Amino acid sequence: MAKLPVQFRLNGSDRATFVDPASNLLDTLRRGLGDFGPKYGCGQGTCGVCTVLVDGEPQLACLTLAASCEGRQIETTSGMADGPELHPLQAAFMDHFAAQCGFCTPGMLTAARALLAKNPHPSRDEVVEAISGNICRCTGYEPIIAAILAAADAPGARRA
Amino acid sequence: MLDLRTCASLSEAAGIVSGDRQALLIGGGTLVMREVNEGRLTEGTLVRVTDPAFRQISAGGARVELGAGVTMAMVLANRELACLHAPARGIGGPAVRTMATIGGNLFAAAPYGDFTVALLALDAQVVLQSGYGSGRAVSLEDFLSARERGGQGLVTAVQFARPQNPPELHFRKISRVKPKGISVLSIAAYLPLSGGRVTQARVAYGAMAPTPIRARGVERALDGKPLDQAAIQAAKQAALEGCRPATDAIASEWYRREILPVHLGRLLAGEPR
Ligand SMILES: Cc1cc2nc3c(=O)[nH]c(=O)nc-3n(C[C@H](O)[C@H](O)[C@H](O)COP(=O)(O)OP(=O)(O)OC[C@H]3O[C@@H](n4cnc5c(N)ncnc54)[C@H](O)[C@@H]3O)c2cc1C
Ligand code: FES
Ligand code: FES
């Protein structure tokens, strides 16, 4: 089967690649384009570790058809820091020990980033809801919730 | 190998889906891509639709029409669709809702299909297009009873009469994992009141049969009655009529049968879960 050409913006840079017709975005990012920010957990949509932003909305890269991303804006955790300066969410995750093994962290950061872009001052319930599709086997979630709430109050946290 | 066809019009997609047994429409892909990732779907053609009509919402008038490609997130972003916010919010986490379409939900096997349960309580119609011609509307109930036979073509839209009083549509999803978990069961009930009595109750269940079903016994028990203790008791007694729940990883058939009347009773009495 012929490969299909796909072009999109990935973390602000134009990228072009060829994909198999039924390839998912996660494989395309990791194997095709070397962006290892989003992780491969379940491949079923249940763990949330592959969450990326497509045109600003959270999507599961493992269930997203790569070919449907033509012309879209894709953002991953690889593009969150501004040079050496961490994104306020990344800094808050460090300050609040919101990562142990760190495997869920890219998905959690992306889910939180999508929330704060729309709702800069979320309630605790809204934070819980925003990360409800993301599984963490280590932290018990509380440090993650605290980090997101802290980032929401941090100066500059509105920067999506 | 799987192929992909991207169609700019709904009729082109309908033509392919009805002419090729191995062609499969991909909506949000939340169920289709699982099959691909797990190696269960390896042959045939995935059909993608980019026609704007597929994602169109017409919700201003007395009759609501939603393109089958409308996502749960789009429903939640639309204030005119407030009566459907609870079922839309019940589906997966935010990233699933950005992708999951209402058309795909009509095909989701039990215990999925929660949004369809609400559409059933609204007595929705499904617009089916099976060739290059125009679509035909069939009742959602008939569509669901024919679903297992397959080959119905493409769903282009769903339509329903806007509830006169949106709070009269009640929805509950019962799951074990909070805040998000797969349904043990779900219940939607449209209970319009006139002069203090229920008129033309429509009640539907998810995960209590292979597809979402109407609870006819409950509807009969409630029609023409005030929503008092006696009517609620009669509804609970009729609750299991027509139910054929499965035993699966989420719950046993026994458990589903035990808790359905309890949750139905609480919903009708306006009690918290
Ligand atoms: C983590 C997770 C949690 C979930 N939680 C829930 C939940 O709580 N409740 C629930 O009900 N569901 C849930 N789902 C299942 C699923 O996301 C939804 O049911 C969704 O609405 C399916 O829509 P889709 O567009 O993604 O379907 P797709 O995967 O695109 O399609 C599913 C099936 O429907 C067919 N199809 C889709 N659209 C059409 C059309 N217009 N015409 C003809 N055929 C069509 C496809 O060919 C395919 O056979 C969950 C899924 C995941 C991954
Ligand atoms: S890898 Fe995508 S949700 Fe688990
Ligand atoms: S830190 Fe280990 S899974 Fe979340």
Side-chain angles (χ1 to χ4, degrees), chain A residues 23-83:
Chain A
S23 289
N24 65 48
L25 177 63
L26 183 59
D27 271 346
T28 305
L29 292 175
R30 291 179 60 87
R31 292 192 205 170
L33 298 172
D35 181 346
F36 299 105
K39 302 278 175 276
Y40 188 98
C42 63
Q44 293 195 341
T46 32
C47 73
V49 77
C50 66
T51 308
V52 299
L53 301 182
V54 178
D55 290 341
E57 299 293 337
Q59 276 194 208
L60 300 169
C62 72
L63 299 183
T64 300
L65 196 62
S68 71
C69 294
E70 177 69 31
R72 319 285 292 270
Q73 302 258 2
I74 316 288
E75 288 163 288
T76 70
T77 42
S78 312
M80 271 177 91
D82 189 0

Short mmCIF file of all heavy atoms in Angstrom, two decimals, chain A residues 23-83:
data_model
loop_
_atom_site.label_atom_id
_atom_site.label_comp_id
_atom_site.label_asym_id
_atom_site.label_seq_id
_atom_site.Cartn_x
_atom_site.Cartn_y
_atom_site.Cartn_z
N SER A 23 -1.85 4.52 9.97
CA SER A 23 -0.93 4.83 11.07
C SER A 23 -1.56 5.77 12.06
O SER A 23 -2.29 6.68 11.67
CB SER A 23 0.31 5.57 10.58
OG SER A 23 1.13 4.77 9.86
N ASN A 24 -1.20 5.60 13.33
CA ASN A 24 -1.68 6.57 14.30
C ASN A 24 -0.64 7.67 14.51
O ASN A 24 0.54 7.53 14.16
CB ASN A 24 -2.10 5.88 15.60
CG ASN A 24 -0.95 5.23 16.33
OD1 ASN A 24 0.10 5.84 16.52
ND2 ASN A 24 -1.13 3.97 16.72
N LEU A 25 -1.13 8.78 15.07
CA LEU A 25 -0.27 9.95 15.25
C LEU A 25 0.89 9.66 16.20
O LEU A 25 2.00 10.17 16.03
CB LEU A 25 -1.11 11.13 15.76
CG LEU A 25 -0.37 12.41 16.09
CD1 LEU A 25 0.30 13.00 14.84
CD2 LEU A 25 -1.33 13.45 16.68
N LEU A 26 0.65 8.81 17.20
CA LEU A 26 1.70 8.53 18.19
C LEU A 26 2.91 7.87 17.52
O LEU A 26 4.05 8.29 17.74
CB LEU A 26 1.13 7.64 19.30
CG LEU A 26 2.09 7.33 20.45
CD1 LEU A 26 2.57 8.62 21.13
CD2 LEU A 26 1.42 6.43 21.49
N ASP A 27 2.68 6.86 16.71
CA ASP A 27 3.77 6.21 15.98
C ASP A 27 4.48 7.21 15.08
O ASP A 27 5.70 7.20 14.96
CB ASP A 27 3.22 5.09 15.08
CG ASP A 27 3.15 3.78 15.82
OD1 ASP A 27 3.75 3.68 16.91
OD2 ASP A 27 2.48 2.85 15.31
N THR A 28 3.68 8.05 14.44
CA THR A 28 4.25 9.02 13.50
C THR A 28 5.16 9.99 14.22
O THR A 28 6.25 10.32 13.75
CB THR A 28 3.09 9.75 12.78
OG1 THR A 28 2.26 8.77 12.19
CG2 THR A 28 3.60 10.71 11.72
N LEU A 29 4.72 10.45 15.41
CA LEU A 29 5.54 11.39 16.17
C LEU A 29 6.81 10.70 16.68
O LEU A 29 7.92 11.23 16.54
CB LEU A 29 4.76 11.95 17.36
CG LEU A 29 3.59 12.88 17.02
CD1 LEU A 29 2.83 13.26 18.29
CD2 LEU A 29 4.08 14.13 16.30
N ARG A 30 6.65 9.54 17.28
CA ARG A 30 7.79 8.89 17.94
C ARG A 30 8.76 8.26 16.93
O ARG A 30 9.95 8.55 16.95
CB ARG A 30 7.30 7.82 18.94
CG ARG A 30 6.61 8.44 20.16
CD ARG A 30 6.11 7.37 21.12
NE ARG A 30 7.19 6.53 21.62
CZ ARG A 30 7.93 6.82 22.69
NH1 ARG A 30 7.68 7.92 23.37
NH2 ARG A 30 8.90 6.02 23.06
N ARG A 31 8.22 7.42 16.04
CA ARG A 31 9.12 6.70 15.12
C ARG A 31 9.47 7.54 13.90
O ARG A 31 10.58 7.48 13.41
CB ARG A 31 8.46 5.42 14.63
CG ARG A 31 8.29 4.42 15.73
CD ARG A 31 7.90 3.10 15.13
NE ARG A 31 7.19 2.32 16.11
CZ ARG A 31 6.56 1.21 15.85
NH1 ARG A 31 6.53 0.73 14.63
NH2 ARG A 31 5.96 0.55 16.80
N GLY A 32 8.48 8.31 13.42
CA GLY A 32 8.71 9.05 12.18
C GLY A 32 9.47 10.34 12.42
O GLY A 32 10.33 10.72 11.64
N LEU A 33 9.11 11.07 13.48
CA LEU A 33 9.63 12.43 13.65
C LEU A 33 10.53 12.58 14.88
O LEU A 33 11.01 13.68 15.15
CB LEU A 33 8.46 13.42 13.71
CG LEU A 33 7.59 13.46 12.44
CD1 LEU A 33 6.35 14.31 12.66
CD2 LEU A 33 8.39 14.00 11.25
N GLY A 34 10.74 11.51 15.62
CA GLY A 34 11.67 11.57 16.75
C GLY A 34 11.20 12.45 17.90
O GLY A 34 12.02 12.94 18.68
N ASP A 35 9.90 12.65 18.02
CA ASP A 35 9.40 13.39 19.19
C ASP A 35 8.96 12.36 20.23
O ASP A 35 7.89 11.76 20.11
CB ASP A 35 8.23 14.30 18.81
CG ASP A 35 7.71 15.10 20.01
OD1 ASP A 35 8.07 14.76 21.16
OD2 ASP A 35 6.95 16.06 19.80
N PHE A 36 9.79 12.19 21.26
CA PHE A 36 9.50 11.15 22.26
C PHE A 36 8.76 11.72 23.48
O PHE A 36 8.71 11.07 24.51
CB PHE A 36 10.79 10.42 22.66
CG PHE A 36 11.43 9.73 21.47
CD1 PHE A 36 12.57 10.25 20.87
CD2 PHE A 36 10.85 8.59 20.94
CE1 PHE A 36 13.12 9.64 19.75
CE2 PHE A 36 11.40 7.97 19.82
CZ PHE A 36 12.55 8.49 19.22
N GLY A 37 8.23 12.94 23.36
CA GLY A 37 7.43 13.52 24.46
C GLY A 37 6.23 12.64 24.78
O GLY A 37 6.13 12.08 25.88
N PRO A 38 5.31 12.45 23.84
CA PRO A 38 4.18 11.57 24.12
C PRO A 38 4.64 10.12 24.21
O PRO A 38 5.45 9.67 23.40
CB PRO A 38 3.24 11.78 22.92
CG PRO A 38 4.05 12.43 21.86
CD PRO A 38 5.22 13.09 22.50
N LYS A 39 4.14 9.41 25.21
CA LYS A 39 4.60 8.03 25.45
C LYS A 39 3.57 7.03 24.93
O LYS A 39 2.42 7.36 24.74
CB LYS A 39 4.77 7.80 26.96
CG LYS A 39 5.74 8.75 27.62
CD LYS A 39 7.18 8.30 27.42
CE LYS A 39 8.18 9.28 27.97
NZ LYS A 39 8.48 10.37 27.03
N TYR A 40 4.04 5.80 24.74
CA TYR A 40 3.13 4.72 24.36
C TYR A 40 2.82 3.89 25.61
O TYR A 40 3.72 3.26 26.17
CB TYR A 40 3.76 3.82 23.28
CG TYR A 40 2.77 2.82 22.73
CD1 TYR A 40 2.10 3.07 21.54
CD2 TYR A 40 2.46 1.65 23.42
CE1 TYR A 40 1.16 2.17 21.05
CE2 TYR A 40 1.53 0.75 22.94
CZ TYR A 40 0.87 1.02 21.75
OH TYR A 40 -0.06 0.14 21.28
N GLY A 41 1.56 3.92 26.04
CA GLY A 41 1.18 3.12 27.21
C GLY A 41 0.34 1.94 26.78
O GLY A 41 0.81 0.81 26.67
N CYS A 42 -0.95 2.20 26.50
CA CYS A 42 -1.90 1.11 26.26
C CYS A 42 -2.28 0.94 24.80
O CYS A 42 -2.67 -0.14 24.39
CB CYS A 42 -3.15 1.36 27.09
SG CYS A 42 -4.00 2.88 26.60
N GLY A 43 -2.21 2.00 24.01
CA GLY A 43 -2.66 1.93 22.62
C GLY A 43 -4.16 1.75 22.50
O GLY A 43 -4.68 1.47 21.43
N GLN A 44 -4.89 1.96 23.59
CA GLN A 44 -6.35 1.72 23.62
C GLN A 44 -7.15 2.94 24.03
O GLN A 44 -8.36 2.85 24.17
CB GLN A 44 -6.67 0.66 24.67
CG GLN A 44 -6.17 -0.69 24.39
CD GLN A 44 -6.88 -1.67 25.31
OE1 GLN A 44 -7.44 -1.27 26.33
NE2 GLN A 44 -6.86 -2.92 24.92
N GLY A 45 -6.48 4.02 24.37
CA GLY A 45 -7.21 5.21 24.82
C GLY A 45 -7.46 5.27 26.30
O GLY A 45 -8.07 6.23 26.78
N THR A 46 -6.98 4.28 27.07
CA THR A 46 -7.35 4.25 28.49
C THR A 46 -6.36 4.95 29.42
O THR A 46 -6.75 5.40 30.48
CB THR A 46 -7.54 2.81 29.00
OG1 THR A 46 -6.66 1.97 28.30
CG2 THR A 46 -8.94 2.33 28.79
N CYS A 47 -5.08 5.05 29.04
CA CYS A 47 -4.11 5.55 30.02
C CYS A 47 -3.82 7.05 29.89
O CYS A 47 -3.40 7.68 30.85
CB CYS A 47 -2.81 4.76 29.95
SG CYS A 47 -1.82 5.10 28.48
N GLY A 48 -4.02 7.62 28.71
CA GLY A 48 -3.85 9.06 28.53
C GLY A 48 -2.42 9.54 28.40
O GLY A 48 -2.18 10.75 28.26
N VAL A 49 -1.46 8.63 28.41
CA VAL A 49 -0.05 9.04 28.43
C VAL A 49 0.41 9.59 27.07
O VAL A 49 1.42 10.27 26.97
CB VAL A 49 0.80 7.84 28.92
CG1 VAL A 49 0.98 6.80 27.84
CG2 VAL A 49 2.13 8.28 29.46
N CYS A 50 -0.39 9.33 26.04
CA CYS A 50 -0.05 9.80 24.69
C CYS A 50 -0.77 11.10 24.36
O CYS A 50 -0.75 11.54 23.21
CB CYS A 50 -0.44 8.73 23.67
SG CYS A 50 -2.24 8.48 23.60
N THR A 51 -1.43 11.74 25.35
CA THR A 51 -2.22 12.95 25.07
C THR A 51 -1.37 14.04 24.43
O THR A 51 -0.30 14.38 24.93
CB THR A 51 -2.86 13.49 26.38
OG1 THR A 51 -3.55 12.43 27.03
CG2 THR A 51 -3.83 14.63 26.10
N VAL A 52 -1.86 14.59 23.31
CA VAL A 52 -1.21 15.74 22.66
C VAL A 52 -2.30 16.77 22.39
O VAL A 52 -3.50 16.48 22.55
CB VAL A 52 -0.55 15.33 21.31
CG1 VAL A 52 0.53 14.28 21.53
CG2 VAL A 52 -1.59 14.83 20.30
N LEU A 53 -1.90 17.98 22.03
CA LEU A 53 -2.89 18.98 21.64
C LEU A 53 -2.96 19.03 20.12
O LEU A 53 -1.92 19.13 19.46
CB LEU A 53 -2.52 20.36 22.18
CG LEU A 53 -2.39 20.49 23.70
CD1 LEU A 53 -2.05 21.93 24.08
CD2 LEU A 53 -3.67 20.05 24.40
N VAL A 54 -4.16 18.91 19.57
CA VAL A 54 -4.37 19.07 18.13
C VAL A 54 -5.24 20.32 17.98
O VAL A 54 -6.37 20.35 18.50
CB VAL A 54 -5.06 17.84 17.51
CG1 VAL A 54 -5.30 18.05 16.02
CG2 VAL A 54 -4.24 16.58 17.74
N ASP A 55 -4.68 21.35 17.35
CA ASP A 55 -5.36 22.65 17.26
C ASP A 55 -5.84 23.08 18.66
O ASP A 55 -6.97 23.57 18.82
CB ASP A 55 -6.53 22.62 16.26
CG ASP A 55 -6.03 22.51 14.82
OD1 ASP A 55 -4.85 22.81 14.57
OD2 ASP A 55 -6.82 22.11 13.96
N GLY A 56 -5.01 22.86 19.66
CA GLY A 56 -5.29 23.31 21.02
C GLY A 56 -6.18 22.39 21.84
O GLY A 56 -6.38 22.63 23.03
N GLU A 57 -6.73 21.36 21.23
CA GLU A 57 -7.63 20.47 21.98
C GLU A 57 -6.90 19.16 22.32
O GLU A 57 -6.16 18.63 21.50
CB GLU A 57 -8.87 20.13 21.13
CG GLU A 57 -9.71 21.33 20.74
CD GLU A 57 -10.40 21.99 21.92
OE1 GLU A 57 -10.59 21.31 22.96
OE2 GLU A 57 -10.72 23.18 21.82
N PRO A 58 -7.14 18.62 23.52
CA PRO A 58 -6.47 17.37 23.87
C PRO A 58 -7.00 16.20 23.04
O PRO A 58 -8.22 16.07 22.87
CB PRO A 58 -6.82 17.18 25.35
CG PRO A 58 -8.09 17.94 25.55
CD PRO A 58 -8.04 19.10 24.59
N GLN A 59 -6.11 15.40 22.52
CA GLN A 59 -6.50 14.19 21.79
C GLN A 59 -5.54 13.08 22.17
O GLN A 59 -4.39 13.34 22.55
CB GLN A 59 -6.42 14.42 20.27
CG GLN A 59 -7.65 15.07 19.71
CD GLN A 59 -7.77 15.02 18.18
OE1 GLN A 59 -8.38 15.91 17.63
NE2 GLN A 59 -7.22 14.03 17.50
N LEU A 60 -6.01 11.86 22.03
CA LEU A 60 -5.14 10.72 22.29
C LEU A 60 -4.42 10.36 21.00
O LEU A 60 -5.05 9.96 20.02
CB LEU A 60 -5.98 9.54 22.80
CG LEU A 60 -6.73 9.86 24.08
CD1 LEU A 60 -7.76 8.80 24.40
CD2 LEU A 60 -5.75 10.05 25.24
N ALA A 61 -3.09 10.55 21.00
CA ALA A 61 -2.34 10.34 19.76
C ALA A 61 -2.42 8.89 19.30
O ALA A 61 -2.36 8.61 18.11
CB ALA A 61 -0.89 10.77 19.96
N CYS A 62 -2.58 7.95 20.25
CA CYS A 62 -2.62 6.54 19.85
C CYS A 62 -3.88 6.21 19.08
O CYS A 62 -3.93 5.20 18.37
CB CYS A 62 -2.47 5.62 21.06
SG CYS A 62 -3.91 5.54 22.14
N LEU A 63 -4.95 7.01 19.24
CA LEU A 63 -6.21 6.73 18.54
C LEU A 63 -6.46 7.73 17.41
O LEU A 63 -7.52 7.71 16.79
CB LEU A 63 -7.38 6.77 19.53
CG LEU A 63 -7.36 5.76 20.67
CD1 LEU A 63 -8.62 5.89 21.52
CD2 LEU A 63 -7.21 4.33 20.17
N THR A 64 -5.51 8.63 17.18
CA THR A 64 -5.69 9.65 16.14
C THR A 64 -5.05 9.17 14.84
O THR A 64 -3.88 8.81 14.83
CB THR A 64 -5.04 10.98 16.57
OG1 THR A 64 -5.67 11.42 17.79
CG2 THR A 64 -5.19 12.06 15.51
N LEU A 65 -5.83 9.17 13.78
CA LEU A 65 -5.31 8.79 12.48
C LEU A 65 -4.31 9.87 12.04
O LEU A 65 -4.66 11.04 11.97
CB LEU A 65 -6.50 8.73 11.51
CG LEU A 65 -6.36 8.02 10.19
CD1 LEU A 65 -6.06 6.53 10.41
CD2 LEU A 65 -7.66 8.18 9.40
N ALA A 66 -3.06 9.47 11.77
CA ALA A 66 -2.03 10.46 11.41
C ALA A 66 -2.48 11.27 10.20
O ALA A 66 -2.29 12.50 10.15
CB ALA A 66 -0.70 9.76 11.15
N ALA A 67 -3.10 10.59 9.23
CA ALA A 67 -3.47 11.28 7.99
C ALA A 67 -4.50 12.37 8.24
O ALA A 67 -4.62 13.30 7.44
CB ALA A 67 -4.03 10.26 6.99
N SER A 68 -5.24 12.29 9.36
CA SER A 68 -6.25 13.31 9.62
C SER A 68 -5.62 14.58 10.21
O SER A 68 -6.32 15.54 10.48
CB SER A 68 -7.32 12.77 10.58
OG SER A 68 -6.76 12.63 11.88
N CYS A 69 -4.30 14.57 10.43
CA CYS A 69 -3.63 15.73 11.04
C CYS A 69 -3.08 16.70 9.99
O CYS A 69 -2.41 17.67 10.36
CB CYS A 69 -2.52 15.27 11.97
SG CYS A 69 -3.19 14.37 13.37
N GLU A 70 -3.33 16.42 8.73
CA GLU A 70 -2.86 17.30 7.65
C GLU A 70 -3.25 18.76 7.95
O GLU A 70 -4.43 19.05 8.20
CB GLU A 70 -3.50 16.83 6.33
CG GLU A 70 -3.18 17.69 5.12
CD GLU A 70 -1.71 17.60 4.69
OE1 GLU A 70 -1.08 16.54 4.89
OE2 GLU A 70 -1.18 18.62 4.19
N GLY A 71 -2.27 19.64 7.97
CA GLY A 71 -2.53 21.07 8.14
C GLY A 71 -2.87 21.48 9.56
O GLY A 71 -3.18 22.65 9.80
N ARG A 72 -2.81 20.57 10.52
CA ARG A 72 -3.18 20.92 11.90
C ARG A 72 -1.95 21.37 12.69
O ARG A 72 -0.82 21.20 12.27
CB ARG A 72 -3.82 19.71 12.62
CG ARG A 72 -4.78 18.89 11.78
CD ARG A 72 -6.12 19.55 11.56
NE ARG A 72 -6.95 19.68 12.73
CZ ARG A 72 -7.83 18.77 13.13
NH1 ARG A 72 -7.96 17.63 12.48
NH2 ARG A 72 -8.59 18.98 14.17
N GLN A 73 -2.24 21.92 13.88
CA GLN A 73 -1.17 22.31 14.82
C GLN A 73 -1.09 21.24 15.89
O GLN A 73 -2.06 21.03 16.61
CB GLN A 73 -1.54 23.60 15.56
CG GLN A 73 -1.83 24.79 14.72
CD GLN A 73 -0.66 25.75 14.70
OE1 GLN A 73 0.37 25.46 15.32
NE2 GLN A 73 -0.80 26.84 14.00
N ILE A 74 0.06 20.59 16.01
CA ILE A 74 0.22 19.56 17.04
C ILE A 74 1.20 20.10 18.09
O ILE A 74 2.26 20.62 17.74
CB ILE A 74 0.83 18.26 16.44
CG1 ILE A 74 0.17 17.88 15.11
CG2 ILE A 74 0.79 17.12 17.46
CD1 ILE A 74 -1.21 17.36 15.18
N GLU A 75 0.83 19.97 19.35
CA GLU A 75 1.75 20.39 20.41
C GLU A 75 1.96 19.26 21.40
O GLU A 75 1.00 18.58 21.79
CB GLU A 75 1.20 21.62 21.13
CG GLU A 75 1.29 22.87 20.26
CD GLU A 75 0.40 23.97 20.76
OE1 GLU A 75 -0.83 23.85 20.61
OE2 GLU A 75 0.94 24.93 21.34
N THR A 76 3.21 19.05 21.76
CA THR A 76 3.55 17.99 22.72
C THR A 76 4.37 18.62 23.85
O THR A 76 4.74 19.80 23.77
CB THR A 76 4.41 16.90 22.03
OG1 THR A 76 5.70 17.44 21.76
CG2 THR A 76 3.76 16.40 20.74
N THR A 77 4.70 17.83 24.85
CA THR A 77 5.49 18.38 25.96
C THR A 77 6.89 18.79 25.50
O THR A 77 7.53 19.60 26.16
CB THR A 77 5.63 17.36 27.11
OG1 THR A 77 5.89 16.09 26.55
CG2 THR A 77 4.39 17.32 27.96
N SER A 78 7.34 18.23 24.38
CA SER A 78 8.69 18.58 23.90
C SER A 78 8.80 20.07 23.59
O SER A 78 9.89 20.62 23.59
CB SER A 78 9.03 17.79 22.63
OG SER A 78 8.73 16.43 22.81
N GLY A 79 7.65 20.71 23.33
CA GLY A 79 7.69 22.12 22.97
C GLY A 79 7.22 23.03 24.10
O GLY A 79 7.00 24.22 23.88
N MET A 80 7.08 22.51 25.32
CA MET A 80 6.51 23.34 26.39
C MET A 80 7.50 24.33 26.99
O MET A 80 7.14 25.47 27.29
CB MET A 80 5.96 22.45 27.52
CG MET A 80 4.50 22.05 27.30
SD MET A 80 3.92 20.95 28.58
CE MET A 80 3.26 22.09 29.79
N ALA A 81 8.74 23.91 27.20
CA ALA A 81 9.72 24.82 27.80
C ALA A 81 10.11 25.89 26.78
O ALA A 81 10.08 25.65 25.58
CB ALA A 81 10.94 24.03 28.26
N ASP A 82 10.46 27.07 27.31
CA ASP A 82 10.90 28.16 26.45
C ASP A 82 12.42 28.22 26.59
O ASP A 82 12.94 28.86 27.51
CB ASP A 82 10.22 29.44 26.94
CG ASP A 82 10.43 30.60 25.98
OD1 ASP A 82 11.10 30.39 24.95
OD2 ASP A 82 9.92 31.70 26.28
N GLY A 83 13.14 27.50 25.75
CA GLY A 83 14.59 27.37 25.93
C GLY A 83 14.85 26.72 27.27
O GLY A 83 14.24 25.71 27.62
#
